[in-house]
Amino acid sequence: AEGHVAAVERIEALEGAEAINLGTGTGYTVLEAVKAFSEAAGRPVPHRIVGRRPGDIAACYADPARAKARLGWTARRGLADMCRDHWRWQSGNPNGYA
């Protein structure tokens, strides 16, 4: 959310449309994400370990260099923080934005 606010605050200074990745620059494995979310939820997340599906890429993460250069923004939170915040919001809003 802070990255989006930074973009809105700079929108007048930016010319045209451009893609700006908002991320930490650090990739996480699926198992790291499962573990972090399990810790945030306080219970295990059911999962199975299976082979990679056709077309699955080995790694994908956002390079935040342009966000820093163009917006003056850098991520201040990591995976554990993101999972805790998501779980807190979802727990308080089980039906979404209803």
Side-chain angles (χ1 to χ4, degrees):
E2 292 168 345
H4 290 104
V5 169
V8 168
E9 290 174 345
R10 298 273 303 144
I11 201 162
E12 296 296 326
L14 301 174
E15 294 182 25
E18 64 181 283
I20 299 176
N21 290 323
L22 300 177
T24 63
T26 301
Y28 301 102
T29 68
V30 173
L31 285 177
E32 287 172 321
V34 167
K35 181 179 183 235
F37 204 82
S38 293
E39 290 173 0
R43 58 181 175 248
V45 171
H47 64 281
R48 292 182 297 126
I49 298 180
V50 298
R52 187 174 289 155
R53 300 167 299 186
D56 280 352
I57 57 175
C60 180
Y61 52 93
D63 176 355
R66 184 177 284 177
K68 185 173 185 176
R70 303 289 282 144
L71 306 177
W73 179 86
T74 56
R76 297 184 302 132
R77 294 173 181 83
L79 181 61
D81 296 317
M82 291 182 268
C83 289
R84 275 192 303 273
D85 188 53
H86 176 73
W87 183 251
R88 178 199 51 77
W89 187 89
Q90 191 64 58
S91 295
N93 300 279
N95 299 315
Y97 286 107

